[in-house]
């Protein structure tokens, strides 16, 4: 097995290669058996981050001291015979949108460059309760606004498959860290596809749980009715273990669903899909819909694999999906403009004071000009306009009506089938800089993922292979009814195993070596 991200120097990284390329399940099993210590495992990942990340820029902050302290505590507890959670001692990375007590949390923005939260987000608190060392905070598009992680105020993250290409967005840091073996697991956030789309273009697994199934308390808000936290991993079983850790009701989040967590870990052991009804969404697949031929080819092969596993494939129509992007890019900016209004240099965020005796409005304007990037400003302006007097009903109100129609499309489709599938993204990873001057072209990358956020249903992206045109990864998206997240893991695990047999291993193992850049 070749290492996709080895150091150029002969032998560099050899000591940690075997450890960092284990799956999270394998790491957990070896830790439990006493064949490995958490300190060894955590240090191996930290060493790899030190060598590789200056090239990738996947991390905005690395907390070596904190991660090793947790690892030492886990090792001591295990040596003392304490019963520990399944993932205790397995390292994890966290998208820099989640508040971490005592660690800088920037949301990829200069506006929060020096913000150190006094508390943990619920998802972070649950990771700590699971005794998982947190390696650091991963890079992201500013305030999660973007589809490429080029809109981070701290520079773009690069795709481990090709350093001149994007790793997806807004959670490209998490996906790149997992794909490059810098972390076995990571936390992402998905507002319109920001877990699933990066997973697709980096050959990894990413899940957006049902809206409200994972707490948003302590998550820096973009669009509150769309945002959802979820796991990033290299295998479906790994993602299921992290999903189980972070999910569950939280009284601190008014939108949290008070219901049992589905058995996602058990579902991830599925190998037979006999009788499962799988619907192919006509509106978000096919070369006539703008999907790259190589992406569509891998999708068609995945459908054949599902048939082999016993699934019944049928085409379904969700006609209002055609309006999903238009509705989304009114709802999201509207909610973003409201959420980001708090960054006024008086209560929150960076303060810039112009010369002379500036008014409060002048301080606010200068601070926002310096603190927000172009994409954030663009969406704030659009959202403020859509919410303004005389335009609210014409734009925001109409978009919410379309959202209802999309939810009804899902309801009708799930009366016919158990899950829906489509390509996750229309293309493989594009080159850095190709679409930064064309926002509409950038937004189209989320065409297949947006409907799930509008309706609140769960979705997952699993690797479907590499496109013939460029040898880069493509992903297959699985969608399920609300609170039926276990269906994603059942289909994803069975498909993953079958494609692995056909393709001779994990997709990610085909990645080329990275030449570390100065």
């Amino acid at each position: 097995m070749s290492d996709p991200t080895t150091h150029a120097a002969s032998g560099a990284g050899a000591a940690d290669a075997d450890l960092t390329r284990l799956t999270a399940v394998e790491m957990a099993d070896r830790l439990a058996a006493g064949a490995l210590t958490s300190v060894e495992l955590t240090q191996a990942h930290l060493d790899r981050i030190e060598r590789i990340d200056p090239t990738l820029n996947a991390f905005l902050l690395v907390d070596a001291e904190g991660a090793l302290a947790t690892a030492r505590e886990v090792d001591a507890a295990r040596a003392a015979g304490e019963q520990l959670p399944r993932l205790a001692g397995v390292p994890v990375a966290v998208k820099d949108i989640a508040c971490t007590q005592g660690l800088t949390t920037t949301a990829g923005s200069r506006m929060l460059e020096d913000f150190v939260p006094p508390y943990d987000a619920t998802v972070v608190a649950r990771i700590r309760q699971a005794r998982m060392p947190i390696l650091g905070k991963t890079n992201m598009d500013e305030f999660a606004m973007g589809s490429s992680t080029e809109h981070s105020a701290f520079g773009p993250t690069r795709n481990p498959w090709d350093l001149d290409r994007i790793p997806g967005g807004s959670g490209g840091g998490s996906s790149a860290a997992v794909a490059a073996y810098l972390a076995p697991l990571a936390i992402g956030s998905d507002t319109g596809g920001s877990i699933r789309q990066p997973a697709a273009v980096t050959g990894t697994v990413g899940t957006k749980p049902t809206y409200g199934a994972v707490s948003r308390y302590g998550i820096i808000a973009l669009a509150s009715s769309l945002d959802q936290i979820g796991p990033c991993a290299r295998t479906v079983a790994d993602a299921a273990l992290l999903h189980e850790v972070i999910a569950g009701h939280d009284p601190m989040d008014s939108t949290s669903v008070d219901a049992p967590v589905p058995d996602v870990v058990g579902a991830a052991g599925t190998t037979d899909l006999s009788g499962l009804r799988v619907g192919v969404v006509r509106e978000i697949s096919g070369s006539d819909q703008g999907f790259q031929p190589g992406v569509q080819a891998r999708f068609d092969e995945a459908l054949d694999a599902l048939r082999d596993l016993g699934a019944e494939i049928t085409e379904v129509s969700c006609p209002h999906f055609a309006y999903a992007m238009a509705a989304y890019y009114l709802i999201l900016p509207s909610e973003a403009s409201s959420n980001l209004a708090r960054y006024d240099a008086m209560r929150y965020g960076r303060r810039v004071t112009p010369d002379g005796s500036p008014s409060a409005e002048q301080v606010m304007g200068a601070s926002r000009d310096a603190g927000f990037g172009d994409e954030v400003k663009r969406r704030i302006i659009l959202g403020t306009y859509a919410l303004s007097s005389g335009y609210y009903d014409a734009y925001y109100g109409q978009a919410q009506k379309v959202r209802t129609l999309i939810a009804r499309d899902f309801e009708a489709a799930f009366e016919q089938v158990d899950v829906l599938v489509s390509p996750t993204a229309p293309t493989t990873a594009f080159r850095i800089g190709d679409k930064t001057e064309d926002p509409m072209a950038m937004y189209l990358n989320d065409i297949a993922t947006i409907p799930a956020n509008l309706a609140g249903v769960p979705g997952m992206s699993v690797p479907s292979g590499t496109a013939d045109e460029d040898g880069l990864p493509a992903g297959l998206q699985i969608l399920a009814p609300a609170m039926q997240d276990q269906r994603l893991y059942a289909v994803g695990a069975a498909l993953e195993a079958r494609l692995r047999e056909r393709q001779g291993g994990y997709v990610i193992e085909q990645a080329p070596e990275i030449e570390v850049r100065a």
Side-chain angles (χ1 to χ4, degrees):
M1 185 187 305
S2 63
D3 179 354
T5 54
T6 53
H7 197 288
S10 175
D16 63 39
D18 290 340
L19 295 184
T20 57
R21 276 189 261 128
L22 296 172
T23 67
V25 170
E26 291 168 338
M27 292 175 189
D29 289 345
R30 291 197 187 187
L31 287 166
L36 176 66
T37 69
S38 181
V39 168
E40 291 171 335
L41 186 59
T42 302
Q43 188 64 61
H45 285 92
L46 291 170
D47 289 346
R48 189 171 187 80
I49 292 168
E50 184 178 5
R51 291 196 313 275
I52 304 294
D53 197 54
T55 294
L56 291 181
N57 196 31
F59 283 86
L60 294 179
L61 177 148
V62 176
D63 184 23
E65 182 179 346
L68 288 171
T70 300
R72 285 190 290 269
E73 291 170 3
V74 169
D75 289 340
R78 184 167 278 122
E82 184 178 335
Q83 290 295 313
L84 296 171
R86 179 74 188 281
L87 286 177
V90 177
V92 64
V94 176
K95 186 175 180 179
D96 203 30
I97 202 166
C99 287
T100 42
Q101 184 176 12
L103 294 178
T104 305
T105 301
T106 71
S109 177
R110 294 289 181 193
M111 183 62 80
L112 293 175
E113 188 171 9
D114 301 317
F115 173 53
V116 180
Y119 66 98
D120 281 331
T122 295
V123 65
V124 174
R126 289 180 175 173
I127 285 171
R128 296 196 197 278
Q129 290 166 6
R131 312 288 286 273
M132 300 175 68
I134 296 175
L135 296 167
K137 309 296 289 295
T138 56
N139 199 8
M140 56 180 285
D141 284 305
E142 185 179 4
F143 287 103
M145 299 189 200
S147 302
S148 64
T149 315
E150 292 174 278
H151 295 296
S152 168
F154 308 104
T157 297
R158 298 180 181 275
N159 193 320
W161 287 76
D162 182 339
L163 296 178
D164 294 324
R165 295 179 185 266
I166 59 100
S170 64
S174 288
S175 65
V178 170
Y181 299 96
L182 305 184
L185 298 166
I187 294 296
S189 69
D190 193 309
T191 304
S194 294
I195 292 174
R196 291 162 289 157
Q197 186 248 17
V201 301
T202 59
T204 56
V205 176
T207 304
K208 183 201 87 69
T210 297
Y211 179 79
V214 178
S215 174
R216 292 185 299 107
Y217 176 75
I219 303 301
I220 296 173
L222 168 54
S224 302
S225 74
L226 302 167
D227 298 342
Q228 188 55 61
I229 295 296
C232 309
R234 289 192 291 270
T235 72
V236 173
D238 287 359
L241 284 177
L242 185 56
H243 186 137
E244 186 178 61
V245 167
I246 63 176
H249 180 247
D250 177 17
M252 300 295 288
D253 176 3
S254 63
T255 62
S256 178
V257 176
D258 190 2
V261 178
D263 183 13
V264 294
V265 174
T270 301
T271 58
D272 182 15
L273 299 179
S274 295
L276 185 83
R277 301 171 300 165
V278 176
V280 178
V281 184
R282 182 184 308 156
E283 287 76 13
I284 48 175
S285 64
S287 56
D288 59 333
Q289 298 289 340
F291 287 81
Q292 182 178 322
V295 170
Q296 185 65 38
R298 298 294 83 78
F299 175 68
D300 293 339
E301 290 172 4
L303 292 181
D304 290 339
L306 289 171
R307 290 188 185 94
D308 291 345
L309 290 163
E312 302 170 5
I313 310 294
T314 185
E315 185 178 73
V316 299
S317 177
C318 297
H320 298 100
F321 280 21
Y323 311 109
M325 182 165 292
Y328 175 84
Y329 277 104
L330 284 168
I331 294 170
L332 179 143
S334 296
E335 294 189 14
S337 72
S338 177
N339 278 325
L340 270 62
R342 72 191 70 179
Y343 302 109
D344 57 6
M346 307 296 164
R347 294 168 294 178
Y348 297 99
R350 182 177 185 176
R351 176 178 294 187
V352 176
T353 304
D355 294 336
S357 301
S359 65
E361 287 187 355
Q362 289 171 325
V363 171
M364 187 186 305
S367 300
R368 288 175 170 172
D369 182 53
F372 291 141
D374 290 344
E375 182 63 22
V376 173
K377 292 173 184 174
R378 179 184 295 118
R379 297 197 193 191
I380 288 174
I381 291 170
L382 177 59
T384 302
Y385 180 81
L387 292 175
S388 61
S389 177
Y391 295 100
Y392 180 97
D393 290 334
Y395 293 108
Y396 183 74
Q398 290 292 87
Q400 291 288 16
K401 292 178 182 178
V402 172
R403 184 179 195 171
T404 299
L405 295 175
I406 290 168
R408 290 175 181 172
D409 279 354
F410 271 114
E411 292 171 4
F414 287 131
E415 289 178 357
Q416 305 172 55
V417 297
D418 300 306
V419 297
L420 299 171
V421 295
S422 75
T424 308
T427 69
T428 56
F430 51 87
R431 294 190 181 278
I432 292 174
D434 274 3
K435 300 185 179 183
T436 51
E437 301 302 319
D438 188 350
M440 284 304 300
M442 184 79 76
Y443 298 163
L444 286 170
N445 285 281
D446 299 331
I447 191 170
T449 54
I450 281 172
N453 296 85
L454 290 171
V457 303
M460 170 187 284
S461 179
V462 293
S464 58
T466 55
D468 298 327
E469 303 94 321
D470 48 29
L472 295 173
L476 175 134
Q477 177 178 229
I478 309 162
L479 303 170
M483 296 308 295
Q484 297 297 317
D485 301 51
Q486 76 280 3
R487 296 186 191 179
L488 305 178
Y489 289 92
V491 176
L495 179 61
E496 175 186 69
R498 183 54 57 93
L499 291 179
R500 191 185 311 160
E501 292 174 3
R502 291 185 173 188
Q503 298 169 357
Y506 294 117
V507 170
I508 197 172
E509 292 171 0
Q510 304 170 32
E513 293 184 354
I514 285 181
E515 294 183 7
V516 175
R517 296 179 177 177

